[in-house]
Amino acid sequence: MTPFRKNLIDGEWVGDAGSRNINPSNLDDVVGEYASGDAEQARQAIAAAKAAFPAWSRSGLLARHAVLRKASDEITARKDEIGRALAREEGKTLVEGVGETVRAAQIFDFFAGEALRLSGEQVPSVRPGVGVEITREAVGVVGIITPWNFPIAIPAWKIAPALAYGNTIVFKPAELVPESAWTIVDILHRAGLPKGVLNLVMGKGSVVGQAMLDSPDLNAITFTGSVGTGKRVAAASVEHMRKFQLEMGGKNPLVVLDDADLAVAVDCAINGAYFSTGQRCTASSRLVVTDGIHDRFVDAMKDRLAKLVVGDALDAKTQIGPVVDQSQLKQDEDYIAIGRQEGADLAFGGERLDRETRGFYLQPALFTQATNAMRISREEIFGPVANVIRVKDYDEALAVANDTPFGLTSGICTSSLKHATHFKRNSEAGMVMVNLPTAGVDFHVPFGGRKGSSYGPREQGRYAAEFYTTVKTAYTFAG
Ligand code: ADP
């Protein structure tokens, strides 16, 4: 039996016409049907969030704490079921699906605590007898637009701080993964949020998302997705003078130096480039390898790639699930063809795979003989495709790593303290990893990048307050 999930607007579940959610591991499996909202529903949701804001922003801290705490507890209690549904709709493996669900619970737990830790500053004025208070207040109605690759973690890391700091929300998830989005909203709704505080409008980006961008009543928008849509969010937000935050693509380098522990380097590269089917903005898509270790590294990568189990996300043996949908698969295959045309050597994989069920299965691909000037090294592919770029030494490796329009994460595998330290200081990325995969971050510390990867304040941890609050400076003359 496939469920029909509705949108939540002003505390009511609404919507009739729906769109189908298909399992990328098995195209005959329909996960459910979901309301597909229109621009009018988006406007109603924004109006409801605006009406709910004064009371919610002045609500007691315990009310916010309680809702976030309850949500964390329910997600934890249901982690296997929710993680399975996530793996079914997105195609990441069960382990990754459950892990991401646990991460969402941890994020709600963290921000339940943050709701109780709001603080400000009190400082003397330069004028005798005057006191100055610096406090943080909620921004207002926050629009949340999310992508498909982390169906529960990204909504959690935007919704939890928005609520903790007293904002109200209009949430538009990606069309491909509505089940995880609906589940998180259902849990928060039942946890006791007043009507209108959190509104869910599933539907098309060009319709619901665009109506959000065009609204003068959204005070802030937080967006994760493609560079193209991010630029639209930016332009529309400037037009309305609203706060905005963008997390977009990456073309993250993993540098492997001659003195690296080969096993560590291969583990980092396999995990960073291919886990979650390479569909992470923090994925390592450029493997920048020095001469002395290059051939051993490539051989070891090919050995490991040959052993990776690509299959149905719900099969416990699977290590790499399918690509998320037909259009992403086409993009991956197009880039594999482009890489060959550009003269890179397809050293492993890249072909479609048949499995018991019809699904978007792709053998993870490794290019060697790639240069940093090739399109496959400059443009985000967002699939299980990585390029080895051969360099002569550390200095060239650093230059290549930084020569990119993006700047989300970077990594280095080395046993040299000197090079590790120099790389941490000079890598032009928001997050730098030493002897660790470029993907895989903690939830209590800032997340975000530089250059074309990100815009605006960091997400997650205490740094989230920067976006979800606005600072007030109050002066008092008490005589
Ligand atoms: P992806 O390639 O990851 O799907 P998108 O940027 O297209 O990247 O999608 C990210 C999110 O942005 C999705 O929720 C999508 O529906 C939404 N979106 C797409 N187009 C628009 C738009 N014109 N206005 C607002 N949101 C949009």
Side-chain angles (χ1 to χ4, degrees):
M1 204 190 73
T2 53
F4 178 65
R5 310 290 202 198
K6 297 184 175 187
N7 282 327
L8 182 68
I9 297 176
D10 205 15
E12 303 290 331
W13 293 106
V14 296
D16 33 62
S19 67
R20 279 147 53 108
N21 180 1
I22 305 291
N23 175 353
S25 300
N26 177 2
L27 306 187
D28 299 319
D29 177 30
V30 179
V31 180
E33 288 210 32
Y34 299 79
S36 189
D38 55 18
E40 182 50 32
Q41 282 193 338
R43 286 190 283 271
Q44 287 167 2
I46 294 167
K50 189 176 176 181
F53 178 71
W56 179 248
S57 61
R58 290 185 204 115
S59 61
L61 300 182
L62 283 177
R64 298 183 212 165
H65 173 266
V67 167
L68 296 167
R69 196 45 278 145
K70 268 195 198 169
S72 175
D73 289 346
E74 181 170 341
I75 295 168
T76 303
R78 293 174 54 198
K79 68 179 167 42
D80 292 325
E81 168 219 334
I82 296 172
R84 189 178 176 82
L86 193 166
R88 191 172 157 214
E89 72 175 348
E90 201 269 353
K92 61 180 66 177
T93 65
L94 263 181
V95 170
E96 289 169 332
V98 174
E100 187 185 327
T101 304
V102 170
R103 171 58 57 100
Q106 290 165 333
I107 290 166
F108 277 104
D109 180 43
F110 178 88
F111 283 105
E114 285 302 286
L116 299 179
R117 277 190 284 269
L118 277 176
S119 62
E121 282 182 82
Q122 197 158 28
V123 298
S125 163
V126 293
R127 286 166 283 175
V130 173
V132 184
E133 288 158 47
I134 304 160
T135 51
R136 288 188 177 275
E137 295 182 0
V139 174
V141 180
V142 176
I144 295 180
I145 300 178
T146 56
W148 50 260
N149 63 330
F150 285 94
I152 198 163
I154 294 179
W157 83 51
K158 294 180 189 295
I159 292 172
L163 293 176
Y165 297 120
N167 301 282
T168 57
I169 297 171
V170 177
F171 169 35
K172 195 217 88 66
E175 296 93 307
L176 286 176
V177 291
E179 179 63 20
S180 303
W182 183 88
T183 301
I184 208 171
V185 170
D186 175 55
I187 289 171
L188 283 160
H189 177 58
R190 285 187 290 97
L193 276 181
K195 73 183 178 96
V197 171
L198 172 62
N199 302 274
L200 171 70
V201 193
M202 298 177 283
K204 290 203 170 89
S206 56
V207 177
V208 174
Q210 193 61 45
M212 290 168 69
L213 303 194
D214 294 341
S215 170
D217 289 327
L218 278 188
N219 305 103
I221 293 194
T222 175
F223 167 84
T224 303
S226 64
V227 174
T229 310
K231 286 184 176 167
R232 297 174 81 109
V233 174
S237 297
V238 168
E239 182 65 27
H240 291 291
M241 286 292 167
R242 73 161 78 94
K243 216 169 171 179
F244 64 99
Q245 174 184 62
L246 313 173
E247 290 297 344
M248 302 168 288
K251 197 72 201 175
N252 310 297
L254 176 71
V255 170
V256 179
L257 297 185
D258 288 354
D259 63 14
D261 178 322
L262 185 63
V264 169
V266 171
D267 277 348
C268 289
I270 293 283
N271 176 323
Y274 302 113
F275 284 12
S276 300
T277 322
Q279 297 172 154
R280 295 186 282 191
C281 46
T282 50
S284 321
S285 47
R286 295 183 298 140
L287 308 173
V288 184
V289 186
T290 48
D291 268 335
I293 196 170
H294 177 275
D295 293 354
R296 283 182 292 139
F297 175 78
V298 169
D299 287 345
M301 285 292 287
K302 287 199 278 190
D303 279 354
R304 281 288 296 279
L305 278 163
K307 293 189 190 112
L308 283 181
V309 181
V310 181
D312 190 318
L314 300 184
D315 183 335
K317 291 191 294 298
T318 295
Q319 292 169 294
I320 308 286
V323 173
V324 74
D325 74 346
Q326 181 69 51
S327 86
Q328 182 60 52
L329 181 65
K330 180 175 182 316
Q331 179 164 313
D332 298 349
E333 291 190 304
D334 285 352
Y335 272 110
I336 290 167
I338 289 168
R340 295 174 108 158
Q341 282 156 21
E342 289 181 306
D345 180 24
L346 185 58
F348 187 89
E351 65 275 5
R352 291 286 300 274
L353 297 173
D354 286 329
R355 293 292 179 259
E356 263 171 44
T357 50
R358 285 191 309 131
F360 302 118
Y361 298 107
L362 181 67
Q363 182 72 264
L366 182 72
F367 277 112
T368 54
Q369 315 288 332
T371 70
N372 201 42
M374 292 176 177
R375 282 183 65 196
I376 55 166
S377 297
R378 303 209 75 77
E379 298 169 19
E380 187 177 49
I381 300 174
F382 219 59
V385 184
N387 316 329
V388 177
I389 301 170
R390 188 178 192 137
V391 291
K392 65 176 184 307
D393 56 16
Y394 169 74
D395 290 337
E396 189 183 353
L398 176 66
V400 166
N402 284 340
D403 178 10
T404 168
F406 295 104
L408 189 58
T409 60
S410 67
I412 188 166
C413 292
T414 178
S415 52
S416 152
L417 180 63
K418 181 177 147 201
H419 285 141
T421 305
H422 190 272
F423 189 78
K424 275 191 282 183
R425 291 187 185 145
N426 292 283
S427 172
E428 294 166 6
M431 295 170 283
V432 186
M433 316 293 180
V434 178
N435 294 322
L436 288 167
T438 58
V441 295
D442 288 3
F443 61 89
H444 66 307
V445 289
F447 177 95
R450 299 184 186 177
K451 300 197 268 188
S453 288
S454 306
Y455 189 93
R458 290 286 185 262
E459 301 200 79
Q460 304 201 48
R462 304 198 81 173
Y463 281 65
E466 207 50 47
F467 180 73
Y468 293 97
T469 63
T470 181
V471 171
K472 179 172 279 174
T473 312
Y475 295 80
T476 307
F477 177 57

